[in-house]
Structure formats: C-alpha cells, structure tokens
C-alpha cells in the first residue's frame, strides 16, 4: 500500500475530529486528500507532532484527536510514546488515536533507512501501525502559511465551544 | 485551567510540586504546551536552562513561524558545577535573540 492510500483510508472516516499531522510529505498528502480547518499541519519541528496532539487531547477531552505520523518522526521522540502509554493506562487520555505510517525510511528526504525495523511501536503504547511502501506521491506543497494554519485551527476550536 | 508541564530541577523543586505531567523531555513538555495554547489555554512550562536549549528547534520551527505565544515559563539557570558553566553563560543571550522577555528566571550565583 502506498502511504497516500493509507492516508485516504484514514481521512475518509474523518467528520468532526481534530487531525494533527507530522512534518514532511505526510502533511502534504493529508492536505491534498482532505484539507479542513481542524487539520493542524506540523510543517517543521520534527518529533513534536505527538506532544502537540497530547496537549490538544488533554484540553479537548470530548473531541477525538487523530494523529498521523511517520516512523522517522516518532523515532525522534520515542519517549513520548511511553508518556502516552502512561496517560492511556491512567485514563487521562482516551480520545487520541495514533496512526504510525511505517515505511522504514525517511521518505521526504530521499528514502534513507530508519531503524524502525528494530522496534515494535505497539508494545510501547496503544497505536495503530500501518506498513506502507517507501516513496512519495506527486503532490504540491501546502499552500497555507504556518500562521494561517494556526489561525483557522484556533478559530475552528473556538467555534466548537459555541 | 493552568496545566503545568516540565522536567524537574534542583532549583525549581519547591515550585514544581504541583506539576500535572512529568514529561520525558523539555521539548516534549513544550510541545504539549503548544497543543494547550492552540486550544486557548494558558499552560505553564518548567525547565532548567540545559533543557531549554533542547527546545531551540520547536521554538524556531513551530512557535515563531506559527506565531504561537510562548507559555508562561519558569526557567532555572545553573552555573555550577563545571558542566553547567557554558550553558549558563549563553542562555540569557539566546533568550534575548529569540525575543522572549517574559520568562521568569531563577538564576544560580556564579
């Protein structure tokens, strides 16, 4: 399965959930598949996608938070999987669904190998691992500036409160 | 709701007894703070200066380009023993470069 096909499968089910996606081509493929204000694209700061999503999950316990990251991204903050596991076990987070799209490579930078074949992510926390092919689809860059992504996301969150 | 996140530090230990989540790294704690701020909350971030320097990527690649307000921060600056010396010297200069003036600093005597 190609990564964008996995993303299409995930995004097909999305209605009113918050979606947080990792840097590189994953955010671009989510943007191309189903862009919406409740998508927060983390375009840099590799390794920070899951922490950001945990913060959102803690503050919005009644909303489902879907997180889509690559293996390279999550390897950079592996400790956060253990924190998530603790928060899940203590029932402090019940609303975060973590998808790890694992192609054992840094696809966005040319397919250099990662060490994801040496770890079983599902032993570290409750998450869904989808093994996908290495490689990228031919999709444009995200046409929004970071500030626009933030402003419309925060506006959508404020609307939720009303 | 002022949720508090961070990593312990000797100088901060009396101030951080009520931390909500003991994180696995400072940049993780700051990332969680960013998520809270995106939801309109005002989290508090505890860190030692060496951990603050671990956060330079998330500050320069997320907080500044996305114009996310920096959380209320309690920062401990260490100068001793020897392994703290260099980090102690550069921390305030880096905070000035970033333009973050609202960080509450507890500094060890040189």
């Amino acid at each position: 399965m190609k990564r964008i096909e996995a993303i299409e499968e995930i995004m097909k089910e999305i209605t009113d959930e918050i979606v947080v996606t990792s840097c590189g081509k994953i955010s671009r493929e989510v943007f191309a598949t189903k862009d919406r204000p409740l998508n927060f694209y983390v375009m840099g700061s590799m390794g920070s996608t899951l922490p950001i999503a945990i913060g959102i999950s803690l503050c919005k316990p009644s909303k489902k938070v879907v997180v889509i990251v690559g293996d390279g991204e999550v390897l950079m903050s592996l400790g956060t999987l253990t924190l998530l596991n603790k928060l899940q076990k203590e029932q402090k987070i019940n609303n975060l669904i973590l998808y790890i799209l694992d192609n054992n490579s840094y696809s966005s930078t040319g397919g250099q190998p990662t060490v994801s074949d040496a770890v079983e992510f599902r032993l570290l926390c409750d998450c869904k691992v989808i093994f996908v092919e290495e490689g990228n689809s031919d999709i444009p860059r995200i046409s929004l500036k970071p500030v626009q992504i933030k402003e419309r996301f925060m506006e959508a969150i404020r609307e939720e409160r009303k | 709701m002022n949720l508090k996140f961070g990593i312990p530090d000797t100088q901060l230990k009396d101030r951080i007894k009520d931390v909500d989540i003991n994180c696995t790294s400072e940049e993780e704690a700051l990332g969680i703070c960013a998520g809270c701020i995106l939801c309109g909350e005002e989290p508090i971030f505890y860190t030692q200066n060496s951990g603050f320097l671990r956060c330079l990527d998330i500050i320069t690649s997320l907080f500044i380009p996305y114009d996310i307000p920096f959380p209320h921060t309690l920062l401990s600056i260490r100068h001793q023993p020897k392994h703290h010396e260099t980090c102690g010297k550069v921390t305030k200069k880096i905070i000035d470069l970033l333009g973050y003036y609202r960080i509450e600093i507890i500094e060890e005597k040189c």
Side-chain angles (χ1 to χ4, degrees), chain A residues 18 40-46 48 50-60 76-83 87 92 145-147 149-151 153-154 157 161, chain B residues 1 3 5 20-25 27-43 54 57-69:
Chain A
I18 291 167
F40 189 80
Y41 308 113
V42 183
M43 298 203 286
S45 56
M46 195 166 174
S48 66
L50 183 56
I52 293 166
I54 287 174
I56 294 170
S57 297
L58 290 168
C59 294
K60 305 298 285 181
M76 209 168 265
S77 55
L78 211 52
T80 306
L81 294 186
T82 61
L83 174 67
L87 295 171
K92 289 178 180 166
K145 292 193 173 80
V147 171
I149 292 168
K150 180 206 72 172
E151 292 293 338
F153 180 83
M154 291 186 74
I157 293 281
R161 286 182 180 169
Chain B
M1 182 168 63
L3 287 171
F5 306 98
D20 289 288
I21 293 178
N22 285 305
C23 293
T24 70
S25 72
E27 63 266 45
E28 174 191 87
L30 194 50
I32 295 173
C33 288
C36 296
I37 293 164
L38 289 173
C39 295
E41 303 295 341
E42 295 185 356
R54 290 175 65 117
D57 178 46
I58 186 169
I59 292 171
T60 54
S61 303
L62 181 83
F63 276 88
I64 292 174
Y66 285 75
D67 195 22
I68 296 173

Side-chain angles (χ1 to χ4, degrees), chain A residues 39-107:
Chain A
N39 290 1
F40 189 80
Y41 308 113
V42 183
M43 298 203 286
S45 56
M46 195 166 174
S48 66
T49 305
L50 183 56
I52 293 166
I54 287 174
I56 294 170
S57 297
L58 290 168
C59 294
K60 305 298 285 181
S62 60
K63 290 288 286 184
K64 279 225 168 77
V65 180
V66 174
V67 190
I68 309 173
V69 296
D71 51 299
E73 160 89 21
V74 84
L75 284 168
M76 209 168 265
S77 55
L78 211 52
T80 306
L81 294 186
T82 61
L83 174 67
L84 177 61
N85 190 44
K86 185 172 169 64
L87 295 171
Q88 288 168 335
K89 283 189 185 313
E90 293 178 355
Q91 302 279 308
K92 289 178 180 166
I93 282 188
N94 300 308
N95 57 333
L96 189 152
I97 302 155
L98 172 62
Y99 289 96
I100 301 174
L101 307 185
D102 186 353
N103 55 13
N104 196 210
S105 65
Y106 297 103
S107 271

Side-chain angles (χ1 to χ4, degrees), chain B residues 7-96:
Chain B
I7 299 285
D9 169 76
T10 313
Q11 290 197 116
L12 300 180
K13 64 184 175 193
D14 292 330
R15 298 278 297 272
I16 62 172
K17 285 176 182 157
D18 59 346
V19 69
D20 289 288
I21 293 178
N22 285 305
C23 293
T24 70
S25 72
E26 290 83 356
E27 63 266 45
E28 174 191 87
L30 194 50
I32 295 173
C33 288
C36 296
I37 293 164
L38 289 173
C39 295
E41 303 295 341
E42 295 185 356
I44 296 171
F45 174 45
Y46 298 122
T47 181
Q48 190 194 98
N49 58 326
S50 60
F52 182 78
L53 296 203
R54 290 175 65 117
C55 300
L56 289 179
D57 178 46
I58 186 169
I59 292 171
T60 54
S61 303
L62 181 83
F63 276 88
I64 292 174
Y66 285 75
D67 195 22
I68 296 173
F70 204 67
H72 298 289
T73 298
L74 188 56
L75 170 71
S76 161
I77 295 185
R78 301 286 309 274
H79 293 288
Q80 299 162 13
K82 183 72 180 171
H83 64 272
H84 285 298
E85 194 177 287
T86 305
C87 189
K89 274 182 190 165
V90 303
T91 301
K92 281 186 181 172
K93 290 178 187 171
I94 290 170
I95 290 171
D96 283 346

